[in-house]
Amino acid sequence: MKNGQFLVTNVDHETLGQLTKWIIDGRPAKKEFTIVICSSGGSPTMVVNFASFAGTLGKEVKLTGVAFGECGSAALALLQCCHERIAVKHCGFFIHHVHSNFNTSPHKVSLQRLKEEIADVLRLEQEIVQMQCKRAGMSIAVWNRLAERGEMVEGRAMYPVDAHKLGLIDRIVDHYEIF
């Protein structure tokens, strides 16, 4: 972190809260921040919250995202919040539909409650899809095809060349010295 790089291995409330604080604490002296991502994903809600935070940063602030290892699901959505999106060669990317674990007790279950929870998950997915599609310049239909592919075969990765063609990353590098 002191070198200007923040490692994200899980996209959750704690990690993105620390990332936000790290950026705020670095301002106004610091204008460039590197978010290093190696994660299979996490919370899409937290990515939407981070995207909103990123919308409050001054135009002079630059977020660079560097993905290595794996960058899937909510982690790939987080990468889309960055001004520049870099992938280290051989990084694996994947997209799937938003999943939810319904928090319903058998004592409080009702058809109406389940319908509301499903509607909430669909609204969250719509938000995250629109955000990613706008940044990548891809259609929602293409995103849905990628998500369906991701649902069919767990662990099937898309590699940097294809991610670049789809607009999900800006460039591919053989080496990015971090550690």
Side-chain angles (χ1 to χ4, degrees):
M1 286 174 32
K2 66 184 176 200
N3 294 333
Q5 300 167 332
F6 189 98
L7 178 63
V8 174
T9 57
N10 191 23
V11 180
D12 59 13
H13 178 65
E14 180 181 349
T15 303
L16 293 193
Q18 290 172 353
L19 173 59
T20 300
K21 183 180 179 336
W22 177 70
I23 292 169
I24 290 171
D25 289 350
R27 295 285 301 130
K30 198 166 171 59
K31 293 178 179 32
E32 294 187 11
F33 300 88
T34 302
I35 304 169
V36 180
I37 304 170
C38 180
S39 172
S40 62
S43 170
T45 301
M46 292 312 303
V47 174
V48 171
N49 291 349
F50 184 81
S52 180
F53 163 72
T56 69
L57 297 173
K59 299 241 186 261
E60 73 283 359
V61 176
K62 180 182 176 192
L63 301 178
T64 299
V66 179
F68 74 98
E70 65 179 333
C71 183
S73 189
L76 181 54
L78 177 63
L79 184 64
Q80 302 312 302
C81 296
C82 298
H83 299 96
E84 184 178 20
R85 303 157 302 165
I86 301 168
V88 178
K89 194 173 182 179
H90 310 301
C91 181
F93 299 93
F94 61 93
I95 291 175
H96 64 82
H97 291 290
V98 173
H99 296 171
S100 176
N101 295 326
F102 294 109
N103 296 322
T104 307
S105 157
H107 305 287
K108 296 180 183 177
V109 73
S110 72
L111 186 55
Q112 181 59 35
R113 176 148 168 100
L114 290 174
K115 285 180 180 179
E116 289 171 2
E117 288 197 36
I118 290 168
D120 287 346
V121 171
L122 289 172
R123 280 192 295 275
L124 174 60
E125 180 169 298
Q126 181 181 22
E127 192 74 21
I128 204 102
V129 169
Q130 287 176 348
M131 182 187 85
Q132 291 180 80
C133 288
K134 180 179 179 185
R135 178 65 175 97
M138 80 170 59
S139 71
I140 291 173
V142 168
W143 190 96
N144 279 319
R145 280 196 301 277
L146 292 168
E148 289 300 320
R149 179 180 181 259
E151 296 287 330
M152 288 189 302
V153 181
E154 188 174 325
R156 179 185 282 175
M158 170 186 356
Y159 293 101
V161 170
D162 293 322
H164 187 261
K165 287 177 188 171
L166 289 164
L168 293 166
I169 59 173
D170 299 308
R171 66 185 171 106
I172 304 165
V173 297
D174 289 330
H175 183 82
Y176 194 96
E177 190 170 321
I178 299 168
F179 304 108

